[in-house]
């Protein structure tokens, strides 16, 4: 044993003879399933079901035959279940709050609220044009302007829905063509309605109403395409002139110039946004032919597009715009129309409409907050009852925040409005209840439950109109009762429909 290793004669001195290695018995080898579990430990530990592991095994090319030969189990699903049992669950830490796809900036929503309210300053510049006899105790020219505005709100609400549907289908050119056809048609229809209600109003009132209809159509295009800043820039000169005229009246020439230039600028900006809709991959001619209802002879075949949304699908949204417009007009002019202030100017009631319009910006932001809260509730709730309770609490918080904003705005606007009294308790309560109706209606509309919201708002608008025409009861108390009933019904709809997890998909 102490003798040195003998080297064969033909070998080099630094050569060591090879010692044969002994074979390890099969019972001493590591379990191949354990080896696989070790290599896939991170993925297996985070899996919530064995099928996830089976999908990964199959994607790696492991067939059932190879699995039977190598791991001694019959299939990939059996191997996945084995791995799932052997590895302890260790779900990864997300490392921060989950992303909220509904998070949006408050400034953008506030900008939209300001854009909604600024056009009202045009009536300050156009007041000298409104001559002629007044109707229903309203100032001269008010009736055709209100008729044209209601027509525009109705038409453009439905048009905006149709354009948004096309955008949701990923067909932006089709959305542009819908706006390019619908916006001029809405402007023409609003002008004709104002002309029909003109009566003995001065021709300048009809021209102003036509400009109002054109502005509503062009502004709809810019709002749908997300160009609020351009719209604000176009309205800024007119708004500045109206504010200055409250301090020192402007000359008639300058007022007319502002009233003409600003709507024209909005119309030009709207046309610029829709110009790409006229040109598709086949050129301008094919884009113009595509505007025709049935196409044209010799037209190039259009590429495959999603099926066109049905026109009747936009009808509930148009009726919702009509109903909410009527309710807002009742809140602003209800006392005058009821005869309590017959012959007086309707300005003292107008701050209510201004407050509602300005509050639409925060209302939109709170709608986004509710959508984000609904997703958070889906992640944190373990039972249906927990999710319903979370949803109701989230809706209550958002609604309370909106009512606080509306209350502050309703108290602040009369302080800035010339000769406007502070609203009483009953009108203020009615305004807040109307705010509940509007916000819950928008919330139901966002979740696709527009039919119920439209039915409630239309019924409330009809009831309010009938009470006004028949002069039943005290106008303020009757309005508060109508708003309260509609608010209670829509709140119940929100709690019932939006308490379901499937509504938040």
């Amino acid at each position: 044993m102490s003798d040195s290793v003998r080297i064969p004669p033909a070998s080099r001195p630094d050569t060591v003879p090879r010692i044969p290695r002994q074979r390890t018995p099969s019972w001493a080898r590591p379990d191949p399933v354990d080896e696989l579990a070790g290599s896939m430990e991170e993925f297996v530990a985070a899996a919530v079901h064995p099928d996830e592991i089976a999908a990964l095994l199959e994607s790696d090319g492991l067939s059932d035959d190879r699995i039977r030969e190598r791991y001694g189990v019959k299939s990939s699903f059996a191997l996945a279940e084995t791995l799932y049992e052997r590895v302890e669950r260790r779900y990864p830490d997300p490392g921060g709050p989950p992303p909220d796809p509904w998070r949006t900036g408050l400034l953008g929503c506030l900008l939209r609220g300001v854009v909604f309210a600024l056009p009202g300053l045009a009536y300050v510049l156009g007041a000298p044009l409104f001559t002629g006899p007044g109707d229903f105790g309203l100032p001269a020219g008010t009736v055709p302007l209100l008729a044209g505005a209601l027509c525009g709100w109705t038409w453009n609400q439905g048009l905006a829905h149709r354009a948004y549907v096309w955008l949701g289908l990923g067909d932006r050119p089709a959305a542009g063509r819908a706006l390019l056809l619908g916006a001029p048609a809405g402007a023409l229809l609003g002008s004709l309605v104002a002309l029909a209600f003109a009566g003995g109003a001065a021709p300048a009132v009809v021209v102003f109403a036509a400009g109002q209809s054109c502005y509503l159509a062009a502004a709809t295009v810019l709002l749908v395409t997300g160009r609020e800043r351009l719209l604000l820039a176009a309205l800024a000169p007119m708004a500045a002139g109206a504010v200055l005229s409250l301090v020192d009246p402007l000359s008639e020439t300058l007022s007319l110039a502002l009233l003409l230039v600003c709507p024209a600028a909005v119309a030009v900006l709207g046309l610029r946004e829709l110009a790409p809709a006229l040109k598709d991959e086949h050129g301008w001619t094919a884009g113009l032919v595509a505007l025709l209802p049935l196409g044209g002879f010799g037209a190039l075949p259009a590429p495959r597009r999603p099926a066109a949304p049905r026109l009747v699908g936009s009808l509930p949204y148009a009726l919702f715009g009509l109903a909410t417009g009527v309710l807002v007009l009742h809140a602003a002019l209800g006392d005058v129309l009821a005869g309590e202030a017959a012959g007086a100017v309707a300005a003292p009631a107008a701050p209510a409409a201004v407050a509602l319009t300005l509050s639409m910006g925060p209302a939109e932001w709170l709608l986004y907050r509710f959508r984000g809260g609904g997703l958070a509730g889906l992640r944190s709730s373990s039972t249906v009852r927990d999710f319903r309770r979370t949803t109701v609490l989230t809706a209550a918080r958002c609604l309370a925040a909106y009512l606080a904003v509306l209350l502050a705005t309703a108290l602040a606007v009369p302080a800035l409005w010339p000769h406007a009294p502070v609203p009483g308790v009953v009108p203020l309560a009615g305004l807040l209840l109307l705010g509940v109706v509007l916000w819950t209606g928008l919330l139901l509309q966002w979740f696709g439950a527009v039919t119920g919201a439209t039915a409630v708002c239309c019924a409330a608008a009809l009831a309010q109109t009938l009470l006004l025409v028949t002069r039943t009861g005290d106008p303020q108390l009757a309005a508060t009762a109508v708003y309260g009933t509609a608010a209670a019904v829509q709140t119940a709809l929100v709690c019932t429909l939006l308490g379901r997890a499937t509504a938040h998909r």
Side-chain angles (χ1 to χ4, degrees):
M1 295 293 294
S2 60
D3 194 7
S4 61
V5 178
R6 296 183 178 275
I7 301 176
S11 301
R12 291 179 299 172
D14 57 347
T15 303
V16 179
R18 179 178 179 275
I19 303 176
R21 301 180 62 182
Q22 294 185 354
R23 286 186 139 190
T24 304
S26 59
W27 54 266
R29 295 176 186 172
D31 186 0
V33 178
D34 287 339
E35 291 183 337
L36 182 61
S39 62
M40 299 176 57
E41 182 177 6
E42 184 177 352
F43 179 84
V44 175
V48 297
H49 194 275
D51 287 352
E52 295 184 46
I53 308 172
L56 180 63
L57 294 174
E58 293 176 354
S59 67
D60 286 343
L62 285 176
S63 63
D64 289 345
D65 293 336
R66 295 184 62 185
I67 288 174
R68 280 192 293 269
E69 177 183 353
R70 185 179 303 179
Y71 301 105
V73 292
K74 60 181 181 180
S75 65
S76 59
F77 291 98
L79 178 58
E81 291 179 359
T82 302
L83 294 173
Y84 189 81
E85 293 173 356
R86 293 192 183 186
V87 178
E88 183 181 359
R89 305 293 97 215
R90 294 191 306 274
Y91 299 109
D93 185 8
D100 183 4
W102 294 103
R103 181 172 295 278
T104 187
L106 177 59
L107 183 60
C109 295
L110 292 178
L111 176 63
R112 291 175 70 90
V114 173
V115 166
F116 294 155
L118 279 183
L121 293 174
Y123 299 105
V124 177
L125 292 176
L129 304 176
F130 305 153
T131 59
D135 294 322
F136 308 105
L138 297 173
T142 304
V143 172
L145 291 176
L146 293 180
L150 282 177
C151 179
W153 290 341
T154 305
W155 179 273
N156 292 315
Q157 187 83 356
L159 175 62
H161 170 261
R162 184 165 180 82
Y164 279 126
V165 171
W166 276 119
L167 291 175
L169 294 174
D171 197 340
R172 192 173 183 86
R177 285 191 292 271
L179 292 171
L180 195 58
L181 284 175
L188 178 60
L189 181 61
S191 302
L192 293 177
V193 169
L195 179 62
F197 282 86
V205 175
V206 179
V207 175
F208 188 94
Q212 170 187 262
S213 299
C214 293
Y215 166 79
L216 290 174
T220 300
V221 173
L222 294 179
L223 290 173
V224 170
T225 54
R227 303 299 185 182
E228 295 89 353
R229 297 181 185 275
L230 290 179
L231 181 57
L232 179 63
L235 290 174
M238 183 271 298
V243 173
L244 290 177
S245 68
L246 295 175
V247 180
D248 186 13
L250 303 179
S251 63
E252 185 176 347
T253 303
L254 181 57
S255 297
L256 288 176
L258 291 174
L259 289 175
L260 291 175
V261 169
C262 288
V266 175
V268 170
L269 292 174
L271 286 175
R272 192 191 71 167
E273 290 298 320
L274 297 181
L278 288 174
K279 184 179 180 181
D280 61 7
E281 60 271 17
H282 301 299
W284 290 93
T285 303
L288 290 170
V289 170
L291 293 175
L292 299 177
L294 301 178
F297 296 104
L300 295 174
R304 286 185 65 90
R305 295 190 178 96
R310 299 174 59 190
L311 287 172
V312 72
S314 300
L315 181 60
Y317 294 87
L319 293 177
F320 181 82
L322 173 62
T324 53
V326 170
L327 291 174
V328 171
L329 289 182
H330 277 301
L333 306 175
D335 290 345
V336 178
L337 295 175
E340 291 193 358
V345 181
V354 175
L356 284 170
T357 306
L358 287 174
S359 69
M360 287 297 103
E364 182 179 359
W365 185 77
L366 289 168
L367 290 174
Y368 280 106
R369 290 293 82 224
F370 178 81
R371 294 301 299 259
L375 292 182
L378 286 174
R379 290 189 295 265
S380 62
S381 302
S382 57
T383 63
V384 176
R385 180 175 297 179
D386 289 343
F387 176 72
R388 186 181 297 274
R389 182 171 58 252
T390 301
T391 302
V392 171
L393 291 177
T394 303
R397 286 194 296 267
C398 292
L399 181 58
Y402 170 67
L403 293 180
V405 172
L406 179 58
L407 178 60
T409 308
L411 295 176
V413 170
L416 302 175
W417 194 281
H419 312 295
V422 178
V425 176
V426 176
L428 200 57
L431 182 64
L432 293 179
L433 289 174
L434 178 57
V436 175
V437 174
L438 295 179
W439 194 82
T440 54
L442 291 174
L443 183 60
L444 291 170
Q445 180 177 294
W446 266 43
F447 282 86
V450 65
T451 304
T454 300
V456 174
C457 290
C458 286
L462 181 60
Q464 180 76 352
T465 304
L466 290 177
L467 290 174
L468 182 64
V469 171
T470 59
R471 300 183 182 275
T472 302
D474 181 80
Q476 294 182 356
L477 293 177
T480 303
V482 171
Y483 299 152
T485 304
V489 174
Q490 288 199 161
T491 302
L493 286 176
V494 168
C495 296
T496 302
L497 298 178
L498 304 188
R500 303 171 183 173
T502 54
H504 297 258
R505 291 178 296 180

